[in-house]
């Protein structure tokens, strides 16, 4: 019997966990122990994903959230180490680049427990991004790195990590395909505003998500993005991350914006339904920019750095500054999707991830 401890904490990790854990739980002679750090904790940032995506209830919830990066990461490191010392797993499985990821990687490697890192190898080229710090540290202490794409593999190779790395495709693509097939439109009828009142979805919409600290920690940048969306030919649906809930509500009120529909964060199926339904997408999310690509929707990413270069081919995804003119200019650039170009795998990366773990553990 082998034991794997999987550590998650933030919204995008629940989505990746859903598809990988479904395959892991089918394996004989394997016990998966699930640890939720508590980093995301509101019902519609956490429980909704476990319920909708049929993820087992976590064995541990550490209840750690908020505070500075160091404080959050430090508290997680202390508590995850205790769990690992109790459970003594054969491997720790981690996703992405949040503070939960890096804390678990450090706790595991210090106890000589091998780490498997899914979604390894992305690089912006600057440690100013907290996620860049988290993924670089995690990649360098992991026994197995499983990048989604060839470009991420090349970053790992450049840092001498080639021998640890195998391209497995993107579990977000697995999830997108699996759940898109199961959408029936009811998910869009669940949209609610900040007060919980139902929102009726216009026929034509833009979909926007924006939560990065770089874009949302001052009024100016978020207001510039709203100015751009207000100038478009259809309304924008914007489910707001709790980080900037108050700022978004105030700016919309003060600015008198008529075309920006603020909602509570939505569940995964509502989010991908919005991706599929939207004319175009404006985001700073790593996940949403890939989902736009999966759905063949033009996307503008309000960030300074390319995270997923594959999505940028033929202008399918373009970077913009948090600036009205730049966002509008990028939204009007013609885009060509090539259905033969599938850089994110075949929708079965979860199986490949589990195969790599089995190979490593010789089980
Ligand atoms: C984190 C990840 C980011 C990822 C994002 C996914 C890090 C460094 N960043 O950013 O990579 O893209 O999750 O969404 O780990 N809050 C609530 N309720 C919640 C969750 C958060 O109120 O359920 C508030 C808290 O006040 C918290 C703030 O949002 O302080 C920011 O949350 P945090 O987890 O620190 O960062 P994210 O912006 O969510
Ligand atoms: N998402 C969601 N509800 C929302 C906004 C986003 O389910 O209100 C989904 C989105 O479709 C994608 C994932 O969350 O699958 C992306 O997570 P997020 O943007 O929080 O993090 P990132 O991908 O930037 O790390």
């Amino acid at each position: 019997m082998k034991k794997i401890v999987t550590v998650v904490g933030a919204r995008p990790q629940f989505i990746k966990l859903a598809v990988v854990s479904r395959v892991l739980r089918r394996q004989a002679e394997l016990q998966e122990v699930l640890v939720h750090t508590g980093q995301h904790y509101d019902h519609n940032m956490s429980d909704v994903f476990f319920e909708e995506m049929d993820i087992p209830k976590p064995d541990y919830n550490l209840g750690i959230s908020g505070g500075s990066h160091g404080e959050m990461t430090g508290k997680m490191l202390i508590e995850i180490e205790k769990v690992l010392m109790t459970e003594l797993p054969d491997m720790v499985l981690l996703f992405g680049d949040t503070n939960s990821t890096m804390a678990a990687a450090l706790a595991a490697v210090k106890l000589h427990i091998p780490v498997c890192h899914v979604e390894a190898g992305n690089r912006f080229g600057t440690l100013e991004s907290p996620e860049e710090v988290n993924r670089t540290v995690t990649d360098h202490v992991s026994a197995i790195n499983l990048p989604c794409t060839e470009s991420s593999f090349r970053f790992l190779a450049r840092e001498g990590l080639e021998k640890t790395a195998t391209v497995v495709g993107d579990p977000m693509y697995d999830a997108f395909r699996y759940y898109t097939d199961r959408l029936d439109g009811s998910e869009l009828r669940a949209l609610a505003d900040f007060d919980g009142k139902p929102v009726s979805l216009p026929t034509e919409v833009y979909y926007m998500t924006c939560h990065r600290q770089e874009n949302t920690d001052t009024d100016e940048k978020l207001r510039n993005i709203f100015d751009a969306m207000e100038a478009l030919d259809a309304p924008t649906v914007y489910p707001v991350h709790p980080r900037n809930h108050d700022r978004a509500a105030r700016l919309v009120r003060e600015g008198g914006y008529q075309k920006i529909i603020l909602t509570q964060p939505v569940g995964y199926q509502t989010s991908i339904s919005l991706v599929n339904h939207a004319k175009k997408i404006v985001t700073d999310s790593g996940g949403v920019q890939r989902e736009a690509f999966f759905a063949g929707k033009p996307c503008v990413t309000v960030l300074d750095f390319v995270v997923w270069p594959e999505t940028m081919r033929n202008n399918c995804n373009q970077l913009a500054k948090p600036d009205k003119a730049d966002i509008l200019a990028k939204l009007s650039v013609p885009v060509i999707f090539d259905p033969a170009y599938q850089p994110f795998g075949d929708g079965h990366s979860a199986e490949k991830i589990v195969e790599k773990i089995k190979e490593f553990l010789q089980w």
Side-chain angles (χ1 to χ4, degrees), residues 10-12 39-42 45 66 69 72 97-99 130-131 134 211-212 241-243:
R11 173 166 68 187
Q39 181 170 349
H40 287 175
Y41 51 89
D42 290 344
M45 293 293 291
H69 285 277
M72 188 199 294
D97 50 20
T98 70
N99 290 344
E131 288 79 16
N134 292 339
H211 71 278
R212 298 263 164 219
H241 187 292
R243 165 192 279 286

Side-chain angles (χ1 to χ4, degrees), residues 218-235:
T218 64
D219 283 3
E220 194 199 345
K221 291 179 182 170
L222 195 57
R223 193 187 292 119
N224 290 346
I225 300 170
F226 285 167
D227 285 343
M229 305 316 287
E230 185 73 5
L232 293 170
D233 57 349

Side-chain angles (χ1 to χ4, degrees), residues 98-149:
T98 70
N99 290 344
S100 300
T101 311
M102 185 178 71
L106 290 176
V109 72
K110 291 273 186 172
L111 292 170
H112 306 152
I113 300 167
V115 174
C116 173
H117 185 205
V118 173
E119 208 182 273
N122 297 345
R123 293 291 183 269
F124 284 180
T126 170
L127 294 176
E128 274 176 33
S129 150
E131 288 79 16
E132 183 96 340
V133 177
N134 292 339
R135 56 190 170 237
T136 306
V137 170
T138 304
D139 290 343
H140 279 264
V141 301
S142 290
I144 329 180
N145 281 302
L146 301 179
C148 300
T149 61

Side-chain angles (χ1 to χ4, degrees), residues 11-12 15-16 40 44-45 49 97 172 207 209 211-212 239-241 264-269 271-272 275 284-288 290-291:
R11 173 166 68 187
I15 297 162
K16 292 155 206 168
H40 287 175
N44 47 9
M45 293 293 291
F49 297 94
D97 50 20
M172 291 294 272
Y207 182 34
T209 76
H211 71 278
R212 298 263 164 219
V240 186
H241 187 292
Q264 298 283 359
V266 295
Y268 176 71
Q269 295 183 67
S271 183
I272 60 167
V275 169
D284 59 10
S285 158
V288 175
R290 268 126 83 208
E291 286 161 355

Side-chain angles (χ1 to χ4, degrees), residues 60 62 75-88 107 111:
Y60 296 83
L62 306 179
K75 285 182 181 164
M76 287 174 181
L77 179 53
I78 292 168
E79 295 307 319
I80 294 168
E81 181 179 68
K82 288 181 194 160
V83 173
L84 297 181
M85 286 169 75
T86 306
E87 295 290 343
L88 299 174
L111 292 170

